[in-house]
Amino acid sequence: MILMKLKPLALLAAILALNPPALHAADDPLAWPAITAQCRPWAYWWWMGSAVDKTNITRELTRYHDAGLGGVHIIPIYGAKGFESNYISYLSPKWMEMMSWSVTEAKRLGMGVDMTTGTGWCFGGPQVTDEEANASVVVKTYELATGEKLKQKFDRKTTQALVAFGPDGKSIELTTKISAAGEVDFTAPAGAWTVYAISQKPSPQKVKRPAPGGEGWMLNLLSPAAMTNYLKWFSGAFDGYSGALPRAQYHDSYEYKSDWSPEFFAQFEKRRGYRLQTELPALFTAPKRSEGGFGTNSTDDHALRVLCDYRQTVSDIMVEETLPQWVKWSHDHGFITRNEAHGSPGNLLDLYAAADIPETEFFSKKHNPLVSKFASSAAHVTGKNLVSSESCTWLAEHFTETLAEVKGVMDELFLSGVNHAFYHGCCYSPDEAGWPGWHFYAATEMNPRNSIWRDAPAINDYIARVQSVLQSGRPDNDILLYWPISDYWSSTNASARAPQFQVEAAAQRVWFENQPIGRTAKELWEHGYQFDYVSDAQLKTAKVADRDIQMPGGKYKSILVPECKYIPLETFKNLIALAENGATVSFEKQMPTDVSGESNLEGQRAGFKETSKKIKFGHLTSNLGTWPFASVGRGSISVEDLISRLSSERIKQTCFIRRSFDGGWNYFIANRTEKNFDGWFAIWFALGDSHPQSVAILDPMTGATGVAAIRQNGANRMEVHLQLAAGESVILRAFAEKNVEGPAWNYWQTNGQPVEITSPWNVKFIAGGPTLPADFQTAKLASWTTFPDTNCQAFAGTAKYETTFNAPRRDELHESQNQESKSGTRGVRPSDSFYLNLGDVRQSARVRVNGKDYGTLITPPFRVVVDNLKPAGNTLEVEVTSTDANRIRDLDRRGVKWKTFRDINFVDINYKPFDASRWPLTDCGLLGPVTLAPVSVAR
């Protein structure tokens, strides 16, 4: 009884954590929201062989906490060789004890813990039978002439359908005629006949990278019965469990290979209203291309409609049955859920929305934030506060990743709507494993053994500040962008029978970038429009109030439908009904011309035609052109060439995402270009007719805040002065009615030429390995790999550079200011402040001047404003930390056996055996030049 009471309480606490208190205009306008564990970055935490122990668990969690992580996600995987005696079988009493210890220790440290519902990925394991495994349909055909008998034998248990098709399309059901001996009494009538035999087999896909006790088939997500049985495995472990519970259960990206299930025929008939057994030639014979393209004759059109219905059924089974089973089981046992839907052949928006926390993924540097918006859109539209991300997967080659690269990825994820980031990740490694320890092959090495870990608190604090803002308030997007997935399912652009919506660059180009949805989304994104994707099912929940489209997660100004030919009748009716109730609905280039699918086609087309009669188009003319326009009820419908219009309507903006709070709006803005920006940023178009009274600037990298300079532009709209170097980012907090009082934001302007610091440098290696090189003095900055001590070539870690210098002379400073004044610079106040620019830094730096800490610099430009220089005898200390590239290179050159892991062992970014022995030396340290440039605050 105690256990049954605790689990609902744990779930309640987890759900409450998903919706933190909202920010209000009455709060301190220059203060950051409270930083919680949920605001901080979390990390995938791989347990190799589950060979964990309490001592090392506590050590590792303490290190993670001290570096600024907010939580971990336990994923058991294959083990390290030589530690077999320490392996722990998944879900065994010992494993559950270690999990409980981890959760308890994490809570003591103020951290959280999630877990995968399985090992490795995806769902699956030893309990999954051949019948429950992810399955491939097996299609066998037999050609019979007039009067020819069917001689083949069939297994009654495994043959799901046996149907003969004649020349006129007539079909004869033979499944029930299979005898106990496997024989079928069938003689072909007149004409050529084809007999289709349908069965299934397990696809080759087994659980990837499984841990001990988790090996076996991947599960079939097209089989509700398989999911029911799979969850019994976990009920057996948790129903009698009294230890500490993780926060969430997790489902990894869809890497199943499944297009069939034992229940598929029954599911199809239940959902589509006709028997798929009578349409086997249409489903399993690819439509032929004619001169006019696919679907231009009745045969092709019919086949594509059946194929669309098949694909819709695949999606419906997962969206409505298998995933909800997992979510319900998790809730019943005290967990919330995180789900990666990408890779699935189902509707991503509905699958993401099935979980409490939709999760996206950035794979390598070739990613598209607009694809990640599918996860955030699902959250925004359905009212879920958190959007998580598998971050930095295969970001760069092992041991070469930099904190600057991590920030770049995180900024793009934030722009796409993510507010709960998970590093991919860190691997549990016992201290006795030594350096480099245990490693998972597809990770950014975000762990305490990596040299970049020393300065990781800077990026972790940055992420925490950004996410504290993005987790507060509400999404505030203007447009619902409909995903015409049925149009895609009705085409042969989707080459596979069950096409998977993957995030990898080449795959998403097919289903997204090269489709109308991708082209329209790109134009909206690049022109500063805030939008969320919406699915057919989600549109069913839409209502209209005061001409706004009200979704469970918030309000939108309009609905935009990308160019499409086919659309479900129910969706078409919903769109027209929303317009009748006051909504603004726009169609890109053309109205849909037909319904999708084969089910009740005649009746569906009649309904489509009848609904279309409600639209009486005229034309609307403005300075932007003329386009079809119809008033429908209290709303309107228009047909526009949006992409062409946007290309001339607005200048492309710096990337941003907006959230609202009571009394204002928060903007996260990132300069993702290669050029510095110093100018005025327009926020008027996002706010409609609202005019903010004041704006605060918050710098998430340093924590600094101040009141922004604002102005009304020529169109009487609000603009904010921003200074963003390439790669920099900032938070704007705009208030609708409140005048913010406080210190003004400093806009720095150089008023003199930079002067290089040329005094000699003392270099001391203070942390790292394998051996600390000897101290060194140099008059010229260069990579430490060129220093006399040859140990420098193998070294990775931190070196402290120290020099004493004099400040630029006063007469030089005033002379440069006079020159600026003569050149026409106005509104600049003289100052004793300087830009200290470190030049080329490999890869991060901590800066102190005359004992004052100026923070940690992790991205170019490596510069900071210093304000405490003396005329002479200034001390500058710069602690520079490198990547581990040269150290791992040395290890491989010496033939040290450290890649001792089972399964795939350790591969490089191209999935080849990892070998750094032939790498060139990587530059490390402070390369400079280090300069001082006088700056003043522009007023």
Side-chain angles (χ1 to χ4, degrees):
M1 293 299 294
I2 294 177
L3 178 64
M4 294 306 292
K5 291 179 180 179
L6 285 176
K7 286 179 178 177
L9 288 175
L11 176 60
L12 177 61
I15 291 176
L16 288 174
L18 298 180
N19 296 282
L23 181 69
H24 298 278
D27 298 337
D28 183 349
L30 297 179
W32 292 94
I35 304 296
T36 66
Q38 188 169 272
C39 298
R40 294 194 168 277
W42 291 33
Y44 285 64
W45 193 25
W46 294 287
W47 282 9
M48 301 200 85
S50 296
V52 298
D53 63 76
K54 293 181 178 180
T55 299
N56 279 297
I57 285 173
T58 298
R59 285 175 182 162
E60 292 279 84
L61 288 174
T62 301
R63 291 162 181 159
Y64 303 155
H65 168 268
D66 292 347
L69 294 188
V72 292
H73 167 184
I74 297 171
I75 307 178
I77 57 171
Y78 54 86
K81 296 176 182 177
F83 290 83
E84 286 81 0
S85 62
N86 296 336
Y87 290 0
I88 302 173
S89 184
Y90 183 59
L91 295 185
S92 67
K94 183 68 173 176
W95 194 93
M96 300 293 284
E97 180 186 349
M98 293 299 102
M99 181 195 69
S100 179
W101 178 264
S102 299
V103 176
T104 301
E105 286 294 277
K107 288 182 178 178
R108 179 181 64 81
L109 293 166
M111 301 173 68
V113 177
D114 290 350
M115 68 173 286
T116 297
T117 317
T119 75
W121 69 94
C122 303
F123 285 3
Q127 276 68 22
V128 178
T129 66
D130 288 358
E131 291 73 25
E132 296 167 346
N134 55 169
S136 299
V137 64
V138 177
V139 182
K140 294 183 178 180
T141 59
Y142 308 93
E143 303 296 331
L144 301 178
T146 302
E148 187 176 357
K149 298 193 66 173
L150 182 61
K151 300 176 182 178
Q152 286 75 16
K153 291 187 176 182
F154 304 91
D155 187 334
R156 283 200 301 187
K157 293 182 179 179
T158 61
T159 303
Q160 299 177 14
L162 187 67
V163 186
F165 293 87
D168 56 356
K170 179 182 178 182
S171 63
I172 300 176
E173 173 65 57
L174 303 177
T175 313
T176 57
K177 296 184 177 182
I178 303 173
S179 69
E183 297 173 339
V184 178
D185 183 12
F186 175 72
T187 301
W193 286 73
T194 302
V195 177
Y196 280 75
I198 308 300
S199 60
Q200 70 178 58
K201 64 179 180 180
S203 72
Q205 204 78 317
K206 293 189 175 183
V207 175
K208 288 188 175 182
R209 321 309 176 207
E215 305 91 340
W217 290 116
M218 280 190 189
L219 191 66
N220 190 343
L221 291 198
L222 305 187
S223 171
M227 178 63 82
T228 299
N229 289 335
Y230 179 67
L231 292 172
K232 290 178 181 178
W233 185 25
F234 294 89
S235 295
F238 282 98
D239 284 352
Y241 171 74
S242 59
L245 285 175
R247 177 192 68 159
Q249 293 287 332
Y250 170 77
H251 178 233
D252 210 327
S253 58
Y254 188 104
E255 295 186 28
Y256 309 91
K257 293 190 180 301
S258 195
D259 61 9
W260 207 258
S261 70
E263 306 101 310
F264 196 84
F265 279 125
Q267 286 277 358
F268 186 95
E269 185 173 0
K270 178 178 71 174
R271 297 174 181 280
R272 305 281 83 85
Y274 65 96
R275 287 171 56 81
L276 186 57
Q277 293 92 323
T278 65
E279 298 289 354
L280 299 181
L283 180 62
F284 295 115
T285 303
K288 298 178 181 179
R289 182 186 292 273
S290 62
E291 292 183 1
F294 288 105
T296 58
N297 60 66
S298 60
T299 302
D300 286 351
D301 183 73
H302 175 74
L304 288 172
R305 289 180 179 281
V306 172
L307 190 58
C308 177
D309 283 347
Y310 161 83
R311 291 165 172 168
Q312 181 69 63
T313 303
V314 167
S315 181
D316 288 349
I317 294 171
M318 291 186 290
V319 169
E320 298 174 7
E321 295 201 37
T322 51
L323 264 295
Q325 276 192 71
W326 167 67
V327 172
K328 183 179 185 304
W329 179 92
S330 298
H331 288 175
D332 289 347
H333 287 79
F335 307 103
I336 59 173
T337 54
R338 287 171 36 225
N339 180 42
E340 288 192 344
H342 45 271
S344 166
N347 191 312
L348 297 188
L349 293 170
D350 298 329
L351 289 167
Y352 279 128
D356 300 294
I357 306 177
E359 177 159 312
T360 186
E361 171 184 356
F362 265 10
F363 186 89
S364 79
K365 294 180 180 179
K366 298 177 181 179
H367 46 250
N368 188 339
L370 293 174
V371 173
S372 292
K373 277 183 70 68
F374 278 80
S376 63
S377 294
H380 296 166
V381 167
T382 61
K384 297 173 171 62
N385 187 57
L386 294 183
V387 183
S388 56
S389 62
E390 177 186 323
S391 314
C392 306
T393 304
W394 277 130
L395 175 58
E397 188 54 272
H398 295 291
F399 306 103
T400 70
E401 308 98 332
T402 69
L403 297 179
E405 290 174 322
V406 171
K407 180 185 182 295
V409 167
M410 295 313 308
D411 283 351
E412 291 196 320
L413 285 166
F414 294 148
L415 291 169
S416 72
V418 167
N419 60 5
H420 187 26
F422 283 72
Y423 289 131
H424 194 272
C426 59
C427 196
Y428 168 97
S429 186
D431 281 5
E432 49 269 32
W435 193 90
W438 294 354
H439 287 272
F440 177 62
Y441 70 94
T444 289
E445 315 295 333
M446 191 61 75
N447 65 63
R449 291 157 294 284
N450 192 342
S451 58
I452 67 172
W453 185 259
R454 186 174 192 269
D455 287 340
I459 186 66
N460 294 337
D461 288 347
Y462 167 80
I463 293 170
R465 292 189 188 103
V466 174
Q467 293 191 155
S468 72
V469 173
L470 297 184
Q471 289 179 14
S472 64
R474 302 170 296 277
D476 191 40
N477 296 331
D478 302 308
I479 299 171
L480 283 172
L481 181 58
Y482 170 66
W483 185 20
I485 191 171
S486 291
D487 192 65
Y488 181 73
W489 279 338
S490 300
S491 73
T492 52
N493 290 322
S495 57
R497 184 176 300 112
Q500 295 177 249
F501 300 107
Q502 298 169 321
V503 298
E504 290 80 0
Q508 58 92 3
R509 275 196 293 271
V510 174
W511 68 266
F512 180 73
E513 286 185 8
N514 294 338
Q515 300 302 314
I517 178 71
R519 292 190 289 270
T520 302
K522 183 174 182 288
E523 287 298 321
L524 292 173
W525 171 272
E526 290 183 345
H527 289 82
Y529 288 89
Q530 299 290 284
F531 65 92
D532 283 318
Y533 306 116
V534 66
S535 72
D536 297 281
Q538 290 161 0
L539 272 177
K540 294 177 185 179
T541 67
K543 298 179 180 179
V544 181
D546 297 326
R547 297 186 64 85
D548 289 333
I549 299 101
Q550 182 68 53
M551 302 299 294
K555 295 185 296 184
Y556 298 83
K557 296 296 183 184
S558 64
I559 302 172
L560 177 58
V561 180
E563 182 180 5
C564 60
K565 176 180 179 181
Y566 300 102
I567 193 169
L569 175 60
E570 185 176 9
T571 299
F572 188 64
K573 286 183 174 180
N574 284 341
L575 291 170
I576 306 309
L578 289 169
E580 288 177 323
N581 289 322
T584 298
V585 181
S586 297
F587 292 85
E588 170 69 6
K589 291 188 178 180
Q590 66 175 43
M591 295 286 291
T593 57
D594 205 348
V595 295
S596 58
E598 176 66 19
S599 179
N600 185 25
L601 181 56
E602 186 175 336
Q604 295 275 308
R605 280 176 164 165
F608 183 84
K609 184 176 182 180
E610 188 65 27
T611 303
S612 299
K613 292 179 180 178
K614 298 181 179 181
I615 309 170
K616 306 294 185 183
F617 279 115
H619 286 87
L620 181 67
T621 300
S622 75
N623 61 333
L624 299 174
T626 301
W627 55 86
F629 179 87
S631 294
V632 181
R634 296 191 297 273
S636 65
I637 292 175
S638 61
V639 179
E640 307 178 49
D641 188 350
L642 181 73
I643 293 177
S644 297
R645 181 161 64 85
L646 288 183
S647 297
S648 60
E649 181 180 354
R650 289 186 180 160
I651 299 173
K652 294 183 180 181
Q653 297 286 324
T654 301
C655 293
F656 70 93
I657 187 170
R658 184 179 77 241
R659 291 178 71 89
S660 65
F661 58 89
D662 293 342
W665 304 265
N666 280 318
Y667 288 74
F668 171 76
I669 303 174
N671 183 358
R672 299 301 301 148
T673 73
E674 297 180 355
K675 296 181 179 180
N676 298 336
F677 179 86
D678 186 351
W680 294 91
F681 176 78
I683 60 175
W684 61 268
F685 64 83
L687 304 179
D689 294 329
S690 299
H691 289 249
Q693 296 301 306
S694 56
V695 179
I697 294 181
L698 298 84
D699 181 357
M701 185 56 72
T702 65
T705 63
V707 180
I710 59 176
R711 73 180 187 185
Q712 301 291 327
N713 65 15
N716 196 32
R717 301 295 185 175
M718 177 65 68
E719 293 182 332
V720 180
H721 187 190
L722 286 183
Q723 290 180 323
L724 287 176
E728 287 186 339
S729 49
V730 73
I731 301 287
L732 295 185
R733 184 175 293 163
F735 294 87
E737 299 178 354
K738 184 173 185 176
N739 286 313
V740 177
E741 297 181 356
W745 183 257
N746 288 331
Y747 294 94
W748 296 104
Q749 183 166 331
T750 58
N751 51 17
Q753 295 300 313
V755 177
E756 185 175 358
I757 296 176
T758 57
S759 52
W761 294 85
N762 295 313
V763 184
K764 182 180 181 63
F765 293 89
I766 60 176
T771 302
L772 292 179
D775 297 353
F776 181 68
Q777 187 178 78
T778 181
K780 183 178 180 181
L781 292 173
S783 171
W784 70 49
T785 58
T786 65
F787 288 6
D789 188 344
T790 56
N791 287 322
C792 292
Q793 295 187 359
F795 178 77
T798 304
K800 182 171 76 171
Y801 292 73
E802 184 172 349
T803 191
T804 302
F805 66 96
N806 297 332
R809 295 194 312 273
R810 290 282 181 175
D811 57 342
E812 293 176 328
L813 175 60
H814 291 313
E815 181 180 351
S816 64
Q817 289 174 340
N818 289 335
Q819 291 172 349
E820 293 289 340
S821 178
K822 291 176 182 178
S823 67
T825 300
R826 294 180 297 173
V828 177
R829 187 183 67 188
S831 171
D832 291 335
S833 298
F834 295 84
Y835 265 143
L836 171 64
N837 194 323
L838 302 181
D840 191 355
V841 175
R842 306 296 178 92
Q843 292 294 331
S844 59
R846 300 181 185 181
V847 181
R848 285 187 299 275
V849 178
N850 295 331
K852 180 178 178 179
D853 186 358
Y854 281 95
T856 302
L857 308 179
I858 64 171
T859 64
F862 292 94
R863 71 182 184 188
V864 64
V865 175
V866 297
D867 59 4
N868 66 332
L869 295 189
K870 301 178 294 185
N874 295 285
T875 300
L876 170 61
E877 300 168 272
V878 184
E879 295 179 6
V880 179
T881 298
S882 71
T883 67
D884 272 340
N886 290 339
R887 187 173 181 182
I888 205 69
R889 170 183 180 271
D890 171 69
L891 215 61
D892 280 354
R893 283 166 63 89
R894 291 190 283 116
V896 176
K897 294 183 178 180
W898 64 273
K899 292 162 281 189
T900 56
F901 313 117
R902 295 194 173 276
D903 201 284
I904 196 173
N905 197 353
F906 197 74
V907 294
D908 65 21
I909 199 167
N910 297 312
Y911 283 81
K912 304 294 183 183
F914 182 87
D915 181 9
S917 64
R918 296 185 179 181
W919 287 4
L921 283 170
T922 298
D923 286 344
C924 302
L926 182 60
L927 278 61
V930 179
T931 61
L932 287 166
V935 294
S936 296
V937 177
R939 296 301 188 196

